[in-house]
């Protein structure tokens, strides 16, 4: 994997009946980035962490934040360490 990855906090998780595939698919379809450019997805009950390429960060924040993943409105922000 080339380039730096940025970890994002995503406000949906397992309790929303959302899978890693749902998240990857939504990110790809909303932004046009390739699935291969999406890194590790960590799914927890109420939220998730998703890694994206640094070069795609602004596009992901603009296109996905406030949009819907499987009918659930999502908030996205850069994860705090």
């Amino acid at each position: 994997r080339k380039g730096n990855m940025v970890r994002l906090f995503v406000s949906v998780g397992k309790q929303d009946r959302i899978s890693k595939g749902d998240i990857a698919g939504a990110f790809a379809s909303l932004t046009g980035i390739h699935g291969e450019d999406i890194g590790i997805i960590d799914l927890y009950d109420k939220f998730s962490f998703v890694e994206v390429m640094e070069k795609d960060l602004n596009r992901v924040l603009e296109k996905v934040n406030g949009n819907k993943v499987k009918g659930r409105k999502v908030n996205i922000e850069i994860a705090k360490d």
Side-chain angles (χ1 to χ4, degrees), residues 10-18 42-48:
V10 183
S11 65
V12 291
K14 291 179 193 165
Q15 282 184 353
D16 299 301
R17 301 193 191 284
I18 287 197
D42 292 318
L43 216 51
Y44 296 95
D45 284 341
K46 297 186 175 168
F47 58 88
S48 309

Side-chain angles (χ1 to χ4, degrees), residues 4 7 9-10 13-14 16 20 27 36 39 42-44 47 56 59 63 74 78:
N4 296 327
R7 195 166 196 236
F9 170 87
V10 183
K14 291 179 193 165
D16 299 301
K20 292 181 182 189
F27 272 49
E36 303 91 69
D42 292 318
L43 216 51
Y44 296 95
F47 58 88
D56 297 323
R59 187 163 23 153
K63 304 275 190 197
V74 293
I78 296 171

Side-chain angles (χ1 to χ4, degrees), residues 22-69:
D22 292 329
I23 291 176
F27 272 49
S29 67
L30 288 167
T31 62
I33 63 177
H34 288 285
E36 303 91 69
D37 285 339
I38 298 170
I40 296 165
I41 298 175
D42 292 318
L43 216 51
Y44 296 95
D45 284 341
K46 297 186 175 168
F47 58 88
S48 309
F49 289 112
V50 181
E51 288 184 348
V52 297
M53 302 286 282
E54 199 169 35
K55 67 177 175 62
D56 297 323
L57 176 63
N58 288 339
R59 187 163 23 153
V60 170
L61 290 173
E62 280 170 25
K63 304 275 190 197
V64 184
N65 198 26
N67 226 311
K68 290 190 172 165
V69 175

